[in-house]
Amino acid sequence: MSQQAPAPLAVGDRVGPGEGTGTEPRARGRRWDRAAVADRLFLLPVGVVFVVLFLIPVIRSGWWSLTNYNGYTPDYDFVGLANYGRLFSDTAMVSGFVFTLLYTVATTLVVTCLAIPLAVVLNRKFIGRNFVRSAFFFPAIPSIAVLGLVWGFILSPLGSGVINRVIETFGGASVPWLSTPGLARFSVILVGVWSQVGWHAILYLAYLQAIPEELTEVAIIDGANGRQRFFHITLPMLAPAMTVSQLLLLTGGLKVYDLPVTLTGGGPGYSTFTLTQAIIQRGIAQSEFGQASALAVVFMLVIGLIVAAQLAVARRLERRIQ
Amino acid sequence: MNKSRHVLTSLVMVPLAALVAVPFYYIVVNTFKTHQETATSPLALPSGLRLDNYVEVFETLPVLQNLLNTVIVTAASVTTMLLIGAMGAFGMIIRSTRFNTWFGALMVLAFLVPFQATLLPLYRMLVTARLVDTLQGLVVLYATGAIFCYFLILGYMRTVPTEIIEAARLDGAGPLRIFWNVVMPLIRPILITVGVFQTMWVWNDFIIPNVFISSTGNRTLVLLVYSAVGQFSVNWPMFMTLTVIVLIPMVIFFVTMQRFIVSGLVAGGVKG
């Protein structure tokens, strides 16, 4: 790694006339330039992290996905693309794929549609504003796994289930929030939105506060009403914030694991099962490293594609607006 | 007219915010109740300031041990990743060679790889190194966060005037000295911001401890709560008490570090 071309543009070399008088000959200096070696040593730790914790694991995932490796026995066979072919006939994996996508799309849409208006309101002056800001932001602070467990109690059909207790006192029937597939999916998404909407609203708020006031003032003088100002000034100015927020929501959604595991455990059946859970279950619990690696590789490619597509679309939109 | 609109906003937003905060109210009030009280009136205020639940949680569960584990893992991991990230960023700005350009491009690739794609090989690696179910193993895994630190710190370091580094060089300071005594103090704001983010990540993380830790003595707090659900499935006040105990340190940390988080949101956003 250290055998590289000399550093023509390096900061350390641009020190001016004073330095060039000592060990000038460059050919020899290259070998003896201890400073250059020392400078490059700073890249070593992060390079080790890259190689050991990213590069090698990704290559091994790719290789295992083509084999029937079980995680223990050293001799295993090359099976070609068989693991990939089986991905789509495996109920757990297909369900994991479906719910992960549903969760990602739903949370991204709902959080964006709620966070932007919320940010606009939080930007106004009103009594109790600090309380409202804190209350919405607060769910972002604790571990989402712990919050998932707490919501498990809140949504429970048993005595601890506050929501059902409230419904019952008003004469309604207890709702099986976590034990029917449709409602369980809804509940996971609901808690996901609840825990993120305030955080994203604060992100938008930070960008809103950067909008120059003159812009709004001029618009008011020109006779623009509230809705026109929102769609023609606020929303375009929020475009960069939307890129960041949606990127976080999309990648966070695709990687979701903590919330479904703690709230529903992936059930009932496989209705709230996620891709990450599928990788862990197949790989570590059931020792099907080959099969699980194939899923991991597909997962990585899907994330890469979605991130690239989102960035491309966002960039085009931002350009059109400006 | 403006005034009445403010009142209207308050009338809508304050109850809405209260609704959002109800789960937290629910957790906290129930820690002071007996099991029966919770069952009959889950949302009512407690009849008195009963602290029995707190005493019992500390007596029946290794809360302090697991708190200590979490503190050790968080401190060691965050220090490691900040140091690695800052060193890498310094190595990138101190020389702009073709090697560095190439190196930087590789780092972007690492940024795109989700943890899930490396999980199984990392698991095998830790098994081989006998680090599964150890706190050291967790620190090794959290070192992956160094890449994120590297990117945020690099963005900030580029704003440090190169003249300062050149001047230190002329004064005869070696690279290590420049890094530690000149650059590190200059980049303190970003170190704090990134440190706060990574502390919240490690402290709150569930997936890594859940996959890699199996023995009670090595649990982190989040894992303790997860495993206690079964134990307290019929005794919710106890579960709520444990939750409150676990949430308190993070809330205190957040409140003291709040201002760095919002500034970090914007900084991270601007740099994409």
Side-chain angles (χ1 to χ4, degrees):
Chain A
M1 257 196 200
S2 56
Q3 283 188 346
Q4 288 298 323
L9 286 170
V11 175
D13 293 342
R14 274 190 278 132
V15 283
E19 204 214 23
T21 47
T23 48
E24 177 59 12
R26 264 230 157 261
R28 191 148 49 90
R30 196 185 303 173
R31 249 185 83 205
W32 297 106
D33 196 354
R34 284 167 62 187
V37 175
D39 288 350
R40 214 158 267 149
L41 278 178
F42 281 94
L43 294 174
L44 191 65
V46 82
V48 169
V49 167
F50 173 74
V51 172
V52 176
L53 298 176
F54 289 93
L55 189 63
I56 295 176
V58 166
I59 293 172
R60 288 180 114 183
S61 272
W63 167 241
W64 288 347
S65 75
L66 304 172
T67 70
N68 61 3
Y69 183 48
N70 65 10
Y72 302 99
T73 41
D75 51 327
Y76 46 85
D77 301 319
F78 182 80
V79 296
L81 294 173
N83 288 325
Y84 289 90
R86 254 186 294 151
L87 282 182
F88 300 97
S89 53
D90 185 322
T91 337
M93 292 197 181
V94 173
S95 318
F97 204 77
V98 169
F99 180 68
T100 305
L101 277 186
L102 177 72
Y103 177 87
T104 307
V105 172
T107 49
T108 305
L109 284 179
V110 178
V111 168
T112 306
C113 292
L114 292 179
I116 294 179
L118 183 61
V120 172
V121 173
L122 291 180
N123 201 22
R124 288 191 201 144
K125 282 199 188 82
F126 61 90
I127 303 153
R129 182 173 70 168
N130 283 341
F131 164 72
V132 175
R133 275 188 192 177
S134 313
F136 275 100
F137 189 80
F138 196 80
I141 305 168
S143 161
I144 185 68
V146 173
L147 294 181
L149 297 170
V150 169
W151 273 93
F153 278 87
I154 294 175
L155 295 170
S156 154
L158 303 170
S160 67
V162 186
I163 293 189
N164 280 330
R165 297 297 297 280
V166 172
I167 292 174
E168 278 163 18
T169 43
F170 285 105
S174 178
V175 179
W177 297 105
L178 303 174
S179 44
T180 58
L183 276 173
R185 287 187 180 134
F186 171 80
S187 301
V188 174
I189 292 167
L190 177 84
V191 178
V193 169
W194 169 81
S195 68
Q196 296 183 82
V197 72
W199 196 93
H200 285 269
I202 298 292
L203 179 77
Y204 282 115
L205 183 63
Y207 281 82
L208 269 185
Q209 287 169 339
I211 297 179
E213 235 160 84
E214 300 84 54
L215 223 55
T216 323
E217 279 163 20
V218 168
I220 293 173
I221 292 167
D222 287 350
N225 63 28
R227 187 158 31 115
Q228 283 171 326
R229 270 179 279 143
F230 178 77
F231 281 105
H232 294 285
I233 296 174
T234 313
L235 217 50
M237 292 299 277
L238 283 182
M242 283 172 77
T243 309
V244 177
S245 161
Q246 289 179 354
L247 193 67
L248 291 171
L249 285 166
L250 281 175
T251 52
L254 289 169
K255 294 182 195 171
V256 68
Y257 172 78
D258 302 14
L259 183 57
V261 168
T262 52
L263 187 56
T264 61
Y270 283 113
S271 58
T272 56
F273 206 64
T274 61
L275 281 176
T276 307
Q277 238 177 314
I279 294 172
I280 293 172
Q281 196 196 61
R282 278 283 178 276
I284 293 168
Q286 300 172 350
S287 295
E288 291 180 32
F289 270 53
Q291 183 73 52
S293 295
L295 186 60
V297 170
V298 171
F299 181 78
M300 183 171 67
L301 295 178
V302 168
I303 285 211
L305 274 179
I306 289 182
V307 169
Q310 204 266 347
L311 284 178
V313 170
R315 197 157 292 168
R316 187 160 300 174
L317 279 179
E318 272 176 45
R319 207 169 295 152
R320 187 176 299 170
I321 284 165
Q322 276 150 13
Chain B
M1 181 221 138
N2 231 338
K3 190 124 197 179
S4 67
R5 224 181 95 187
H6 288 169
V7 174
L8 191 69
T9 313
S10 293
L11 284 180
V12 176
M13 292 311 289
V14 172
L16 211 59
L19 192 67
V20 166
V22 159
F24 295 104
Y25 165 81
Y26 167 76
I27 310 173
V28 175
V29 275
N30 282 315
T31 62
F32 301 112
K33 295 180 189 170
T34 61
H35 186 209
Q36 249 146 7
E37 249 182 303
T38 321
T40 47
S41 46
L43 281 178
L45 283 169
S47 52
L49 206 64
R50 260 179 91 255
L51 293 174
D52 302 14
N53 289 329
Y54 286 87
V55 177
E56 212 181 324
V57 165
F58 276 105
E59 276 171 0
T60 50
L61 293 171
V63 178
L64 289 178
Q65 162 81 59
N66 294 351
L67 173 71
L68 190 68
N69 289 347
T70 316
V71 169
I72 292 172
V73 169
T74 308
S77 306
V78 174
T79 315
T80 310
M81 60 179 116
L82 280 180
L83 197 64
I84 295 177
M87 283 176 75
F90 179 70
M92 283 295 278
I93 61 141
I94 196 166
R95 266 161 208 274
S96 48
T97 59
R98 212 173 302 151
F99 171 76
N100 283 13
T101 319
W102 180 78
F103 191 86
L106 275 183
M107 289 294 139
V108 177
L109 281 184
F111 205 54
L112 290 177
V113 175
F115 177 66
Q116 283 84 344
T118 55
L119 176 71
L120 297 175
L122 287 177
Y123 185 81
R124 282 302 313 159
M125 192 183 90
L126 259 68
V127 170
T128 315
R130 297 185 183 278
L131 285 174
V132 171
D133 197 18
T134 63
L135 298 184
Q136 295 92 307
L138 294 185
V139 177
V140 169
L141 291 170
Y142 287 122
T144 51
I147 305 280
F148 177 76
C149 297
Y150 157 84
F151 275 107
L152 285 191
I153 295 172
L154 182 64
Y156 192 88
M157 246 188 218
R158 291 205 196 278
T159 66
V160 172
T162 47
E163 290 81 11
I164 297 181
I165 298 173
E166 283 166 27
R169 266 232 159 140
L170 279 180
D171 288 344
L176 206 60
R177 203 183 154 90
I178 297 177
F179 172 69
W180 196 253
N181 292 346
V182 179
V183 175
M184 285 300 258
L186 281 173
I187 60 164
R188 243 186 65 168
I190 195 72
L191 290 180
I192 294 175
T193 303
V194 181
V196 169
F197 272 106
Q198 300 297 64
T199 302
M200 290 182 72
W201 167 50
V202 176
W203 189 282
N204 287 337
D205 187 44
F206 172 66
I207 181 166
I208 292 181
N210 191 36
V211 173
F212 290 89
I213 295 293
S214 49
S215 53
T216 330
N218 288 334
R219 276 181 190 148
T220 60
L221 284 179
V222 173
L223 206 54
L224 172 72
V225 179
Y226 182 60
S227 57
V229 169
Q231 194 176 340
F232 291 145
S233 59
V234 286
N235 193 349
W236 334 302
M238 285 283 277
F239 178 77
M240 300 304 161
T241 310
L242 175 64
T243 308
V244 168
I245 294 170
V246 168
L247 293 190
I248 285 173
M250 198 67 249
V251 171
I252 293 174
F253 177 79
F254 177 80
V255 170
T256 47
M257 292 293 172
Q258 204 174 6
R259 56 209 174 97
F260 301 110
I261 293 177
V262 177
S263 67
L265 282 184
V266 182
V270 170
K271 264 139 210 153

